[in-house]
Amino acid sequence: MNKKRITKSSGNVFADMGLPDAEEMSLKAQLVINLQRLMKLHSLTQREVAERVGTDQPSISKILRGNLDLVSVEKLLAWHSALDQEVDITIRDKFSRRANPKNKQGKVSVQACFCPA
């Protein structure tokens, strides 16, 4: 009988794979996924997005296909702003609550709300 070994995910696939800058890569991926959702929601083409954010269509295409090294978190945030999205950054102090003393690293995440106007 062949038993399969299952490893529980940390919630960050990049960290699970042992990649450097895993937290940044995860944040970029979340922002790109959000960009794809915006494009679908507003029926925007890659060319239209490129024009609005000040880049070219091939760059948008590469980033949407996962070439995250081509763009910074700052640039992705600026693109969201250029696409008329409100970007809020919230910092919460979890130090004093110490729910899990073994995990001393914070968490960065993207929460998007596409509410009808």
Side-chain angles (χ1 to χ4, degrees), residues 53-66:
V53 303
T55 192
D56 57 10
Q57 180 275 326
S59 293
I60 295 293
S61 177
K62 289 174 187 172
I63 291 163
L64 291 175
R65 286 185 282 124

Side-chain angles (χ1 to χ4, degrees), residues 4-16:
K4 292 185 180 182
R5 190 172 147 215
I6 298 173
T7 304
K8 185 176 179 180
S9 173
S10 69
N12 181 338
V13 67
F14 301 102
D16 293 344

